[in-house]
Amino acid sequence: MAKKPNPLPTESELRILEVLWEHGACTVREVHEALSRSRRTGHTTVLKLMQIMAEKGSVIVDRSTRPQTYRATEPQSRTQRHLVGDLLDRAFSGSPGPLVLQALSAKRATPDELRQIRELLDRIEKERPE
């Protein structure tokens, strides 16, 4: 049986995951401190969210250390693919073209991002059967 993907993270959960992806395994205190640099967040709120995330399976708790540490169960790229796939299905009828066009028109891509997009398009074009 195929592994069911974790539920899509909420905005608050995504902010916590970003800290874990950037720093690796962290304690609740470390996540709280990282989040508090940009937004006022309560320690108990972060703790509760991380407990919920553990129940959902989006983080793993290492209880062998004190204090406990948490790490993301999925790499950032996989979570991003799930989020994009959900948006693609819900807002673009599963069609990637309009999604890409809207993304590029919503925010200017850097020259490096445009280069990466061109390389991806070239690679896709080469792999395509004629």
Side-chain angles (χ1 to χ4, degrees), residues 11-20 23 28-42 45-47 49-50:
E11 184 177 341
S12 295
E13 291 170 348
L14 196 52
R15 289 178 48 237
I16 290 170
L17 286 170
E18 288 170 349
V19 172
L20 296 176
H23 300 285
V28 171
R29 178 179 304 278
E30 291 167 334
V31 172
H32 174 254
E33 288 172 358
L35 294 175
S36 293
R37 290 184 196 117
S38 62
R39 179 181 289 168
R40 188 176 170 130
T41 308
T45 301
V46 174
L47 171 62
L49 279 169
M50 292 177 76

Side-chain angles (χ1 to χ4, degrees), residues 8-9 15 78 96 98 100-102:
L8 294 175
R15 289 178 48 237
R78 186 172 296 156
V100 172
L101 293 172
Q102 287 297 326

Side-chain angles (χ1 to χ4, degrees), residues 16-101:
I16 290 170
L17 286 170
E18 288 170 349
V19 172
L20 296 176
W21 288 323
E22 182 178 343
H23 300 285
C26 292
T27 64
V28 171
R29 178 179 304 278
E30 291 167 334
V31 172
H32 174 254
E33 288 172 358
L35 294 175
S36 293
R37 290 184 196 117
S38 62
R39 179 181 289 168
R40 188 176 170 130
T41 308
H43 183 274
T44 54
T45 301
V46 174
L47 171 62
K48 185 61 180 172
L49 279 169
M50 292 177 76
Q51 290 170 337
I52 291 168
M53 292 170 72
E55 290 173 15
K56 288 172 138 181
S58 55
V59 297
I60 294 174
V61 186
D62 181 355
R63 291 181 169 82
S64 69
T65 62
R66 287 286 179 232
Q68 302 176 98
T69 58
Y70 293 75
R71 67 177 174 82
T73 57
E74 300 284 344
Q76 185 175 16
S77 60
R78 186 172 296 156
T79 300
Q80 288 171 336
R81 272 194 305 276
H82 289 158
L83 288 165
V84 169
D86 179 67
L87 178 62
L88 191 64
D89 290 342
R90 289 187 305 118
F92 295 94
S93 302
S95 180
L99 171 69
V100 172
L101 293 172

